[in-house]
Amino acid sequence: MAVLWLDEISAGDLEKVGGKGASLGELTGAGLPVPPGFVVTAGTYRSFIEDAEIDEELFEAVEVDVDDSSALATAADRAQELILETPFPDDLREEILASYREVGNGEAFVAVRSSATAEDLPDASFAGQQETFLNVTEGALLDRVRECWASLFTQRAIYYRQEQGFDHSAVNIAVVVQQMVDAEKSGVMFTSHPSTGDPTMIIEAAWGLGEAVVSGAVSPDNYVVPRNDDEIDVTVAEKKVMHEKDEETGETVEREVPADKRNARVLSDDEIDTLVELGERVEDHYDTPQDVEWAIIDGDVYMLQSRPITTIDEGGSGAEAPGASGAVNAAKGVTDGSGSGGTQAASGGGGGSSASSGDVIVDGLGSSPGTVSGAAQIVLKLDDLDKVKEGDIIVTEMTMPDMVPAMKRASGIITDEGGMTSHAAIVSRELGVPAIVGTTNATTVLEDGQIVTLDGDKGAVLEGQKVEPDEETEPVEEVRPQSPVKPMTATEVKVNVSIPEAAERAAATGADGVGLLRTEHMILSLNQTPANYIEENGENAYITELVEGIRGVADEFYPRPVRVRTLDAPTDEFRQLEGGEDEPKEHNPMLGYRGIRRSLDRPDVFAHELEAFRRLYEMGYDNVEIMFPLVNDAEDIYQAKRLMEEAGIDPAKRKWGAMIETPASALSVEGMAEAGIDFASFGTNDLTQYTLAVDRNNEHVADRFDELHPSILKLIGTVIETCREHDVETSICGQAGSKPEMVQFLVDEGVSSISANIDAVRDVQHEVKRTEQKLLLDSVR
Ligand code: PEP
Ligand code: MG
């Protein structure tokens, strides 16, 4: 038998029908309302490749070095071609089509979903990597089944299996063919609290097909239902889009939600009751809390999928975000048990702890929160980095990209120079290491081995050890929301990433995507200028570095969007690198040869960056967006767009945009909108320095660096207004996006998204929600 009907399948059939098929079969058998259908078994896929004698060639084709992106692309193409070009044997064709005709009298629209046999297993989360097709009818069914099989060999799937140590030939794939539910509303339900296991159901619901909720395309309503009959807590979200079947083509399309339904509550009390009852049945059936996908049509509730919740902490506190995996950064600090969650104390590291006298011996700008005690290590040259041991506090003039490994070991960082947007400030925040910048004198006042306490909130360095080692914390855990239910906001809240190592920590925040991925930190950490690196290693190696760096972040967030900025490093930073002696000498690098002006001046070099994007798109990373830095006007945009086209990237198909970092760009945004940008993102670090003429890295004028200056707010307000008129999204990715006052201002003005520092995401989510609710209240009062 090539197919098995859902009512013939139970949980034990995982090897035959994959995780999804087994779960649907089990639910059907338990009498739960599952749309009818069948599974083309994993054995059928296996016989298909073996009978056609393409199996050996297939597995050989995908044995490649997955870090070689062009070899990976060739392997994926070849493997997929082998499957897609092999015809169906007649008996198999007939059996599948005959089964289809039994579903809905042969006229049914069906969903065709891959169900890999390794999917949904612990530590092998391939979920979402294989194809799913909706609204399929007889004519296309067989092709879709074959495409599901071929999706076992996309570049991402091959890469993942190799990385996770799975043998390609040991992974099989079944295909579920199931009657479509043209959902009027749909969503997900946790049958118990996903963090604590408490008897509280959490339901998320939106209009239309569930894909919009699962993929994150829409912010759903949120219903928290205590099972002890307490009041339901309802948060109604603004639901901008919905997925539904196009009546003419039968295809699934994304549409705007009609105005009257956008802010309307999706679920009635009766529907919630029905869902809760089903939730209880499914939880009883499995005897463990479940994460359920459901849909409602004509008042009937269907269950589309159910999986055990894996995030409940047996210890009763905290939760691992769904999908979070991999190694966390080594613990460097321990909490002092007295203050905020972010407060840390280093475990010493210099011996001889003395009680703190409490005297402030150095002060500066608190640029990364937390309090730590440890031994100071003065780093004046790169050779000094070796003396930085786990738990020490680095004291330096200014951090450099090659200090990042030592910064990870350190428990704190203190610099003489720099402002809140300097390298030290940005990187330490991303690493979750407390830091103080711009002290002017730390390297002269502090001594090697001296035990000090660094208060990264107040910007003060105190004599002696003030915080006692207590309980270990990990930077990833600090940013993980304690409640699994993130505040539902209409304004998206994203996160900034500058070093790929921070991607896991960034993703753990539950942010809606990455609003800024700075590529220059990837390049600077090569320790060679791009020209020098290319000369020694070749163009392909350089492109591969970019592809790999971006891919790490794009994977961590997929399918949430990742906005990647093209290179923007000033010449003084490039000069520190090998090959940097060829960089132009500039009196004021901040006003010089950087950002898009450099890229447009050297299209041959820029072409490598664009090629990296093209390869990522080819690999299926459709969540990657392109952002151009330091543009001034529409002319910059037209030129960049032309270079994108020349590089084989279709600007109409991809999401791309520009940063607003100069007053000129703010005043020219209308022309940029006409040139086709999809979004404009405020880089307030630069916008502030160029509007106020305050060097952002100069500690002597740091007190004048005011991102909330009325002139800057005026520029921002005008840009948001113009962009709204032209349907261009707006966002902020400068440091000021983490400040509550700026968040309030932006939400009031109607910004589309806010991208915050990793450690600020949670507070920004709450601030956005508070401001949105105030706006709603004001409008009805
Ligand atoms: C900005 O200027 O605000 C920005 C986000 O870019 P960078 O800090 O990298 O210059
Ligand atoms: Mg900038």
Side-chain angles (χ1 to χ4, degrees), residues 421 426 516 518 520 565 568 594 659 661 682-687 696 733-735:
T421 66
I426 291 171
L516 166 65
R518 291 179 168 98
E520 53 277 5
R565 183 175 73 182
D568 180 15
R594 59 175 281 213
M659 293 194 66
E661 293 173 291
F682 300 107
T684 41
N685 306 338
D686 281 319
L687 187 60
R696 58 191 265 190
C733 59
Q735 163 69 17

PDB file of all heavy atoms in Angstrom, residues 421 426 516 518 520 565 568 594 659 661 682-687 696 733-735, ligand 1:
ATOM      1  N   THR A 421      27.045  54.944  21.560  1.00  0.00           N
ATOM      2  CA  THR A 421      26.871  54.205  20.302  1.00  0.00           C
ATOM      3  C   THR A 421      28.211  53.726  19.768  1.00  0.00           C
ATOM      4  O   THR A 421      28.346  53.404  18.602  1.00  0.00           O
ATOM      5  CB  THR A 421      26.180  55.084  19.246  1.00  0.00           C
ATOM      6  OG1 THR A 421      27.071  56.153  18.932  1.00  0.00           O
ATOM      7  CG2 THR A 421      24.869  55.643  19.752  1.00  0.00           C
ATOM      8  N   ILE A 426      28.082  48.985  21.942  1.00  0.00           N
ATOM      9  CA  ILE A 426      27.205  48.106  21.155  1.00  0.00           C
ATOM     10  C   ILE A 426      27.522  46.636  21.428  1.00  0.00           C
ATOM     11  O   ILE A 426      26.638  45.827  21.710  1.00  0.00           O
ATOM     12  CB  ILE A 426      27.351  48.416  19.643  1.00  0.00           C
ATOM     13  CG1 ILE A 426      26.758  49.790  19.331  1.00  0.00           C
ATOM     14  CG2 ILE A 426      26.703  47.344  18.793  1.00  0.00           C
ATOM     15  CD1 ILE A 426      27.039  50.289  17.926  1.00  0.00           C
ATOM     16  N   LEU A 516      18.158  45.433  12.378  1.00  0.00           N
ATOM     17  CA  LEU A 516      19.463  45.843  11.847  1.00  0.00           C
ATOM     18  C   LEU A 516      20.467  44.747  12.133  1.00  0.00           C
ATOM     19  O   LEU A 516      20.704  44.405  13.289  1.00  0.00           O
ATOM     20  CB  LEU A 516      19.932  47.148  12.517  1.00  0.00           C
ATOM     21  CG  LEU A 516      21.413  47.513  12.317  1.00  0.00           C
ATOM     22  CD1 LEU A 516      21.690  47.812  10.843  1.00  0.00           C
ATOM     23  CD2 LEU A 516      21.805  48.720  13.162  1.00  0.00           C
ATOM     24  N   ARG A 518      24.318  44.449  11.446  1.00  0.00           N
ATOM     25  CA  ARG A 518      25.468  45.217  10.938  1.00  0.00           C
ATOM     26  C   ARG A 518      26.490  44.240  10.368  1.00  0.00           C
ATOM     27  O   ARG A 518      27.054  43.443  11.120  1.00  0.00           O
ATOM     28  CB  ARG A 518      26.113  45.994  12.071  1.00  0.00           C
ATOM     29  CG  ARG A 518      25.304  47.147  12.634  1.00  0.00           C
ATOM     30  CD  ARG A 518      26.090  47.794  13.759  1.00  0.00           C
ATOM     31  NE  ARG A 518      25.554  49.070  14.180  1.00  0.00           N
ATOM     32  CZ  ARG A 518      24.763  49.229  15.239  1.00  0.00           C
ATOM     33  NH1 ARG A 518      24.402  48.188  15.947  1.00  0.00           N
ATOM     34  NH2 ARG A 518      24.348  50.431  15.574  1.00  0.00           N
ATOM     35  N   GLU A 520      29.399  45.021   9.094  1.00  0.00           N
ATOM     36  CA  GLU A 520      30.810  45.415   9.219  1.00  0.00           C
ATOM     37  C   GLU A 520      31.530  44.684  10.344  1.00  0.00           C
ATOM     38  O   GLU A 520      32.722  44.426  10.255  1.00  0.00           O
ATOM     39  CB  GLU A 520      30.989  46.930   9.362  1.00  0.00           C
ATOM     40  CG  GLU A 520      30.210  47.599  10.451  1.00  0.00           C
ATOM     41  CD  GLU A 520      28.788  47.917  10.018  1.00  0.00           C
ATOM     42  OE1 GLU A 520      28.398  47.521   8.912  1.00  0.00           O
ATOM     43  OE2 GLU A 520      28.069  48.544  10.808  1.00  0.00           O
ATOM     44  N   ARG A 565      22.205  45.108   6.742  1.00  0.00           N
ATOM     45  CA  ARG A 565      22.718  46.362   6.191  1.00  0.00           C
ATOM     46  C   ARG A 565      24.012  46.110   5.444  1.00  0.00           C
ATOM     47  O   ARG A 565      24.876  45.362   5.907  1.00  0.00           O
ATOM     48  CB  ARG A 565      22.958  47.341   7.332  1.00  0.00           C
ATOM     49  CG  ARG A 565      23.421  48.678   6.834  1.00  0.00           C
ATOM     50  CD  ARG A 565      23.530  49.644   7.952  1.00  0.00           C
ATOM     51  NE  ARG A 565      24.679  49.345   8.787  1.00  0.00           N
ATOM     52  CZ  ARG A 565      24.972  50.041   9.868  1.00  0.00           C
ATOM     53  NH1 ARG A 565      24.186  51.028  10.256  1.00  0.00           N
ATOM     54  NH2 ARG A 565      26.030  49.752  10.573  1.00  0.00           N
ATOM     55  N   ASP A 568      29.174  49.369   6.269  1.00  0.00           N
ATOM     56  CA  ASP A 568      29.281  50.770   6.673  1.00  0.00           C
ATOM     57  C   ASP A 568      30.339  50.900   7.768  1.00  0.00           C
ATOM     58  O   ASP A 568      30.010  50.986   8.946  1.00  0.00           O
ATOM     59  CB  ASP A 568      27.929  51.275   7.189  1.00  0.00           C
ATOM     60  CG  ASP A 568      28.001  52.734   7.628  1.00  0.00           C
ATOM     61  OD1 ASP A 568      28.983  53.412   7.274  1.00  0.00           O
ATOM     62  OD2 ASP A 568      27.073  53.185   8.316  1.00  0.00           O
ATOM     63  N   ARG A 594      32.375  56.285   3.660  1.00  0.00           N
ATOM     64  CA  ARG A 594      31.724  55.153   4.339  1.00  0.00           C
ATOM     65  C   ARG A 594      30.310  54.979   3.784  1.00  0.00           C
ATOM     66  O   ARG A 594      29.809  55.820   3.058  1.00  0.00           O
ATOM     67  CB  ARG A 594      31.670  55.383   5.858  1.00  0.00           C
ATOM     68  CG  ARG A 594      30.942  56.630   6.264  1.00  0.00           C
ATOM     69  CD  ARG A 594      30.796  56.758   7.779  1.00  0.00           C
ATOM     70  NE  ARG A 594      29.716  55.910   8.287  1.00  0.00           N
ATOM     71  CZ  ARG A 594      28.953  56.228   9.329  1.00  0.00           C
ATOM     72  NH1 ARG A 594      29.130  57.370   9.984  1.00  0.00           N
ATOM     73  NH2 ARG A 594      27.997  55.425   9.734  1.00  0.00           N
ATOM     74  N   MET A 659      18.489  53.582   5.238  1.00  0.00           N
ATOM     75  CA  MET A 659      18.539  54.177   6.565  1.00  0.00           C
ATOM     76  C   MET A 659      18.391  55.684   6.433  1.00  0.00           C
ATOM     77  O   MET A 659      18.850  56.286   5.464  1.00  0.00           O
ATOM     78  CB  MET A 659      19.862  53.835   7.236  1.00  0.00           C
ATOM     79  CG  MET A 659      19.931  52.355   7.528  1.00  0.00           C
ATOM     80  SD  MET A 659      21.245  51.914   8.647  1.00  0.00           S
ATOM     81  CE  MET A 659      20.754  52.696  10.160  1.00  0.00           C
ATOM     82  N   GLU A 661      19.788  58.616   8.097  1.00  0.00           N
ATOM     83  CA  GLU A 661      20.852  58.919   9.049  1.00  0.00           C
ATOM     84  C   GLU A 661      21.410  60.319   8.874  1.00  0.00           C
ATOM     85  O   GLU A 661      22.277  60.741   9.636  1.00  0.00           O
ATOM     86  CB  GLU A 661      22.003  57.916   8.881  1.00  0.00           C
ATOM     87  CG  GLU A 661      21.630  56.510   9.271  1.00  0.00           C
ATOM     88  CD  GLU A 661      22.716  55.516   8.949  1.00  0.00           C
ATOM     89  OE1 GLU A 661      22.954  55.277   7.734  1.00  0.00           O
ATOM     90  OE2 GLU A 661      23.323  54.977   9.870  1.00  0.00           O
ATOM     91  N   PHE A 682      15.294  54.660  10.839  1.00  0.00           N
ATOM     92  CA  PHE A 682      16.044  55.766  11.438  1.00  0.00           C
ATOM     93  C   PHE A 682      17.296  55.264  12.132  1.00  0.00           C
ATOM     94  O   PHE A 682      17.218  54.473  13.068  1.00  0.00           O
ATOM     95  CB  PHE A 682      15.175  56.513  12.452  1.00  0.00           C
ATOM     96  CG  PHE A 682      13.946  57.096  11.830  1.00  0.00           C
ATOM     97  CD1 PHE A 682      12.699  56.542  12.066  1.00  0.00           C
ATOM     98  CD2 PHE A 682      14.045  58.196  10.977  1.00  0.00           C
ATOM     99  CE1 PHE A 682      11.571  57.062  11.463  1.00  0.00           C
ATOM    100  CE2 PHE A 682      12.918  58.716  10.370  1.00  0.00           C
ATOM    101  CZ  PHE A 682      11.672  58.148  10.609  1.00  0.00           C
ATOM    102  N   GLY A 683      18.439  55.731  11.635  1.00  0.00           N
ATOM    103  CA  GLY A 683      19.712  55.471  12.310  1.00  0.00           C
ATOM    104  C   GLY A 683      19.996  56.692  13.151  1.00  0.00           C
ATOM    105  O   GLY A 683      20.701  57.613  12.738  1.00  0.00           O
ATOM    106  N   THR A 684      19.424  56.711  14.349  1.00  0.00           N
ATOM    107  CA  THR A 684      19.508  57.929  15.159  1.00  0.00           C
ATOM    108  C   THR A 684      20.901  58.188  15.709  1.00  0.00           C
ATOM    109  O   THR A 684      21.190  59.294  16.133  1.00  0.00           O
ATOM    110  CB  THR A 684      18.512  57.853  16.328  1.00  0.00           C
ATOM    111  OG1 THR A 684      18.546  56.531  16.846  1.00  0.00           O
ATOM    112  CG2 THR A 684      17.114  58.201  15.873  1.00  0.00           C
ATOM    113  N   ASN A 685      21.760  57.168  15.698  1.00  0.00           N
ATOM    114  CA  ASN A 685      23.131  57.428  16.161  1.00  0.00           C
ATOM    115  C   ASN A 685      23.783  58.447  15.226  1.00  0.00           C
ATOM    116  O   ASN A 685      24.378  59.423  15.661  1.00  0.00           O
ATOM    117  CB  ASN A 685      23.954  56.137  16.159  1.00  0.00           C
ATOM    118  CG  ASN A 685      23.295  55.025  16.948  1.00  0.00           C
ATOM    119  OD1 ASN A 685      22.472  55.301  17.802  1.00  0.00           O
ATOM    120  ND2 ASN A 685      23.637  53.784  16.654  1.00  0.00           N
ATOM    121  N   ASP A 686      23.645  58.179  13.938  1.00  0.00           N
ATOM    122  CA  ASP A 686      24.222  59.120  12.976  1.00  0.00           C
ATOM    123  C   ASP A 686      23.335  60.344  12.774  1.00  0.00           C
ATOM    124  O   ASP A 686      23.832  61.460  12.653  1.00  0.00           O
ATOM    125  CB  ASP A 686      24.463  58.413  11.631  1.00  0.00           C
ATOM    126  CG  ASP A 686      25.734  57.584  11.674  1.00  0.00           C
ATOM    127  OD1 ASP A 686      26.727  58.071  12.250  1.00  0.00           O
ATOM    128  OD2 ASP A 686      25.728  56.454  11.153  1.00  0.00           O
ATOM    129  N   LEU A 687      22.034  60.129  12.744  1.00  0.00           N
ATOM    130  CA  LEU A 687      21.144  61.276  12.526  1.00  0.00           C
ATOM    131  C   LEU A 687      21.379  62.330  13.617  1.00  0.00           C
ATOM    132  O   LEU A 687      21.365  63.532  13.354  1.00  0.00           O
ATOM    133  CB  LEU A 687      19.682  60.810  12.527  1.00  0.00           C
ATOM    134  CG  LEU A 687      18.643  61.863  12.150  1.00  0.00           C
ATOM    135  CD1 LEU A 687      18.890  62.411  10.738  1.00  0.00           C
ATOM    136  CD2 LEU A 687      17.223  61.295  12.237  1.00  0.00           C
ATOM    137  N   ARG A 696      29.652  61.373  17.635  1.00  0.00           N
ATOM    138  CA  ARG A 696      29.063  60.362  18.524  1.00  0.00           C
ATOM    139  C   ARG A 696      30.107  59.604  19.329  1.00  0.00           C
ATOM    140  O   ARG A 696      29.783  58.978  20.320  1.00  0.00           O
ATOM    141  CB  ARG A 696      28.215  59.377  17.703  1.00  0.00           C
ATOM    142  CG  ARG A 696      28.995  58.682  16.639  1.00  0.00           C
ATOM    143  CD  ARG A 696      28.080  57.928  15.699  1.00  0.00           C
ATOM    144  NE  ARG A 696      27.935  56.535  16.090  1.00  0.00           N
ATOM    145  CZ  ARG A 696      27.357  55.613  15.339  1.00  0.00           C
ATOM    146  NH1 ARG A 696      26.843  55.950  14.151  1.00  0.00           N
ATOM    147  NH2 ARG A 696      27.269  54.384  15.728  1.00  0.00           N
ATOM    148  N   CYS A 733      16.464  51.868  14.092  1.00  0.00           N
ATOM    149  CA  CYS A 733      17.434  50.855  14.504  1.00  0.00           C
ATOM    150  C   CYS A 733      18.610  51.489  15.221  1.00  0.00           C
ATOM    151  O   CYS A 733      19.568  50.813  15.556  1.00  0.00           O
ATOM    152  CB  CYS A 733      17.875  50.006  13.323  1.00  0.00           C
ATOM    153  SG  CYS A 733      18.610  50.953  12.001  1.00  0.00           S
ATOM    154  N   GLY A 734      18.550  52.778  15.463  1.00  0.00           N
ATOM    155  CA  GLY A 734      19.587  53.419  16.279  1.00  0.00           C
ATOM    156  C   GLY A 734      19.329  53.127  17.743  1.00  0.00           C
ATOM    157  O   GLY A 734      18.245  52.670  18.127  1.00  0.00           O
ATOM    158  N   GLN A 735      20.322  53.431  18.535  1.00  0.00           N
ATOM    159  CA  GLN A 735      20.278  53.187  19.980  1.00  0.00           C
ATOM    160  C   GLN A 735      19.030  53.787  20.649  1.00  0.00           C
ATOM    161  O   GLN A 735      18.485  53.236  21.600  1.00  0.00           O
ATOM    162  CB  GLN A 735      21.583  53.783  20.521  1.00  0.00           C
ATOM    163  CG  GLN A 735      21.681  54.034  21.961  1.00  0.00           C
ATOM    164  CD  GLN A 735      21.720  52.727  22.719  1.00  0.00           C
ATOM    165  OE1 GLN A 735      21.979  51.676  22.139  1.00  0.00           O
ATOM    166  NE2 GLN A 735      21.403  52.804  23.983  1.00  0.00           N
TER     167      GLN A 735
HETATM  168  C1  PEP B   1      22.721  54.568  13.386  1.00  0.00           C
HETATM  169  O1  PEP B   1      23.448  55.385  12.819  1.00  0.00           O
HETATM  170  O2  PEP B   1      21.830  54.889  14.207  1.00  0.00           O
HETATM  171  C2  PEP B   1      22.905  53.141  13.146  1.00  0.00           C
HETATM  172  C3  PEP B   1      22.041  52.260  13.595  1.00  0.00           C
HETATM  173  O3  PEP B   1      24.025  52.761  12.464  1.00  0.00           O
HETATM  174  P1  PEP B   1      25.493  52.668  13.117  1.00  0.00           P
HETATM  175  O4  PEP B   1      25.332  52.817  14.600  1.00  0.00           O
HETATM  176  O5  PEP B   1      26.034  51.345  12.752  1.00  0.00           O
HETATM  177  O6  PEP B   1      26.179  53.815  12.453  1.00  0.00           O
END
